[in-house]
């Protein structure tokens, strides 16, 4: 069964009539991706002329969801058929794959938007912002060989900023749950299947953060040389302890905030919910489902009745029709990492 609402534009030609498709987008990664399959002829269009590296745009119901490049083209033959599979990613994929190149090892007195624009410019990727980028970094260091994704992800965690794509191939700075979904996910109504996944291997009963700090007339000796703070997770019954050595000099208060952050975000990330609905459209308004939306979740069988964050979606279709798969997490899974200001750096 072909889906006329899924179209791939390449080199001025539009290819429709696909037999199967998957499109995945996530707020944990910079780039959306797609994979499409069809026989070697499109009705009325003749054989496809698509090559790896071609600029492309994938549209669903007329809305661009991935704008970037064809990564691969596979031709498969058997006795009865010839199948073509085309896969590609957003333009921002180059920021995931490629190294951060600045001509210098550090960026001075720049905020996250300016840093993102500087790192994305060599790869021709536009950077937009729908949120305040936070305070400027006095000295933002680029590690040798570090990817653009790694550098910006590190900075984003410190400023509470997420990076996503907007379907046009641009990189967008945003905040957690910047929008609310049009509709809810309700067991027994629009949800076809769902499951809860819990994983405690990264959780601990005690988080101990150790650090050092420069001495002053009021704070010196052992108090400065051996900073220590801890936080606990009362829901972990075993005596599991994690000791973290702070990356920078820190006060006792800095160390305490870092320990509490580790406990909170690890607890939030230990649980996720997967769900599937029929179709690509939200139940209210008709827009496509999207990432980084807060959605009301009502799954009595799992004991879940709360707002959750859509961290990943996969839209696809095959012989069974259209469907959208969700990965849902608690919004506090993306709390900003506490900032330990360097000398002269604003908090």
């Amino acid at each position: 069964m072909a889906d006329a609402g899924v179209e791939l534009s390449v080199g001025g030609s539009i290819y429709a009539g696909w037999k199967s498709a998957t499109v995945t987008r996530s707020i944990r990664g910079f780039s959306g991706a797609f994979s499409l399959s069809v026989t070697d002829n499109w009705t009325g269009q003749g054989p496809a002329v698509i090559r790896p590296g071609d600029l492309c745009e994938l549209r669903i119901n007329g809305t661009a969801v991935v704008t970037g490049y064809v990564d691969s083209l596979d031709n498969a033959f058997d006795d009865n058929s010839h199948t073509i599979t085309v896969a590609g990613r957003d333009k921002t994929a180059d920021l995931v794959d490629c190294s951060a190149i600045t001509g210098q090892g550090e960026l001075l007195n720049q905020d996250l938007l300016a840093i993102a624009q500087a790192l994305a410019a060599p790869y021709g990727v536009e950077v937009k912002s729908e949120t305040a980028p936070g305070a400027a970094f006095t000295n933002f260091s680029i590690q040798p060989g570090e990817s653009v994704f790694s550098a910006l992800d590190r900075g984003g965690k410190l400023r509470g900023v997420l990076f996503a794509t907007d379907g046009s191939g641009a990189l967008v700075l945003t905040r957690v749950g910047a929008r609310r979904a049009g509709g809810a996910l309700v067991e027994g109504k629009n949800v076809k299947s769902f499951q809860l996944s819990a994983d405690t291997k990264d959780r601990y009963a005690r988080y101990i953060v150790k650090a050092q700090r420069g001495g002053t007339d009021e704070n010196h000796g052992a108090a400065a040389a051996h900073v220590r703070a801890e936080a606990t997770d009362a829901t972990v019954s075993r005596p599991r302890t994690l000791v973290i050595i702070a990356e920078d000099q820190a006060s006792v208060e800095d160390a305490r905030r870092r320990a509490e952050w580790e406990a909170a975000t690890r607890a939030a990330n230990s649980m996720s919910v997967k769900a599937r609905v029929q179709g690509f459209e939200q139940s209210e308004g008709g827009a496509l489902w999207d990432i980084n939306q807060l959605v009301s979740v009502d799954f009595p069988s799992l004991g879940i009745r709360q707002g959750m964050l859509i961290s990943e979606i996969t839209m696809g279709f095959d012989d069974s029709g259209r469907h959208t798969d969700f990965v849902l997490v608690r919004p506090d899974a993306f709390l900003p990492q506490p900032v330990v200001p360097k000398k002269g750096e604003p908090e």
Side-chain angles (χ1 to χ4, degrees):
M1 180 178 66
D3 192 315
V6 178
E7 298 177 332
L8 182 67
S9 175
V10 182
S13 296
I14 296 176
Y15 301 99
W18 303 96
K19 298 298 184 182
S20 65
T22 58
V23 183
T24 300
R25 302 177 65 222
S26 171
I27 58 176
R28 295 185 185 273
F30 278 17
S31 176
F34 68 84
S35 178
L36 310 169
S37 293
V38 72
T39 53
D40 61 350
N41 285 297
W42 278 261
T43 303
Q45 294 177 307
V49 182
I50 300 174
R51 298 178 179 83
D54 282 349
L55 187 66
C56 64
E57 180 183 74
L58 181 68
R59 294 189 291 265
I60 296 179
N61 296 350
T63 299
V65 292
V66 176
T67 301
Y69 303 99
V70 175
D71 278 335
S72 64
L73 177 68
D74 293 334
N75 283 280
F77 294 84
D78 60 27
D79 292 340
N80 302 309
S81 65
H82 170 205
T83 301
I84 294 176
T85 301
V86 181
R89 293 177 294 166
D90 276 307
K91 292 179 180 179
T92 49
D94 285 346
L95 306 184
V96 177
D97 299 342
C98 301
S99 299
I101 300 173
T102 63
Q104 52 190 345
E106 56 190 24
L107 296 166
L108 304 178
N109 301 314
Q110 296 188 37
D111 64 23
L112 197 57
L113 176 58
I115 292 170
Q117 289 171 334
L119 297 183
Y123 300 105
V125 175
E126 181 184 5
V127 180
K128 304 176 182 178
S129 183
E130 60 183 28
T131 186
F137 291 88
T138 300
N139 181 339
F140 190 85
S141 298
I142 305 299
Q143 307 301 319
E146 186 176 30
S147 70
V148 177
F149 168 83
S150 177
L152 294 182
D153 184 58
R154 176 163 49 85
K157 287 177 180 177
L158 293 172
R159 294 296 184 258
V161 173
L162 296 175
F163 291 91
T165 56
D166 61 356
S168 71
L171 184 66
V172 181
L173 281 70
T174 187
R175 297 277 174 177
V176 171
R179 295 164 291 132
R180 182 166 291 278
L185 300 176
V186 182
E187 178 182 342
K189 291 187 177 180
N190 61 334
V191 177
K192 297 184 64 178
S193 63
F194 56 93
Q195 70 178 68
L196 170 68
S197 297
D199 188 338
T200 63
K201 69 177 182 298
D202 291 325
R203 294 181 66 178
Y204 298 84
R206 296 172 68 212
Y207 296 87
I208 300 172
V209 176
K210 295 183 176 181
Q212 294 182 337
R213 67 178 305 180
T216 66
D217 291 340
E218 295 78 21
N219 184 11
H220 55 83
H226 302 292
V227 172
R228 184 182 186 279
E230 69 176 83
T232 60
D233 184 342
T235 63
V236 178
S237 59
R238 286 150 41 209
R240 289 167 55 82
T241 300
L242 179 67
V243 177
I244 299 166
I245 307 301
E247 296 86 351
D248 297 301
Q249 294 189 35
S251 66
V252 173
E253 177 62 18
D254 294 329
R256 182 190 62 77
R257 287 189 295 150
R258 173 65 183 276
E260 291 175 348
W261 177 80
E262 292 284 353
T265 58
R266 286 170 182 265
N269 278 292
S270 70
M271 188 271 285
S272 65
V273 174
K274 295 181 180 180
R276 170 174 284 195
V277 300
Q278 192 72 37
F280 298 155
E281 299 82 15
Q282 300 177 28
S283 54
E284 297 177 8
L288 298 177
W289 289 105
D290 203 357
I291 56 174
N292 196 28
Q293 292 182 330
L294 291 173
V295 62
S296 177
V297 176
D298 188 359
F299 296 164
S301 296
L302 297 178
I304 297 176
R305 286 189 173 94
Q306 65 184 72
M308 300 191 75
L309 183 72
I310 303 174
S311 69
E312 181 178 312
I313 58 170
T314 299
M315 296 181 287
F317 72 85
D318 50 30
D319 290 340
S320 64
R322 289 181 166 201
H323 57 265
T324 300
D325 294 329
F326 301 84
V327 177
L328 308 165
V329 298
R330 286 167 30 186
D332 53 345
F334 292 91
L335 287 173
Q337 182 176 328
V339 177
V340 179
K342 297 181 174 64
K343 185 177 180 180
E345 181 178 350
E347 298 195 36

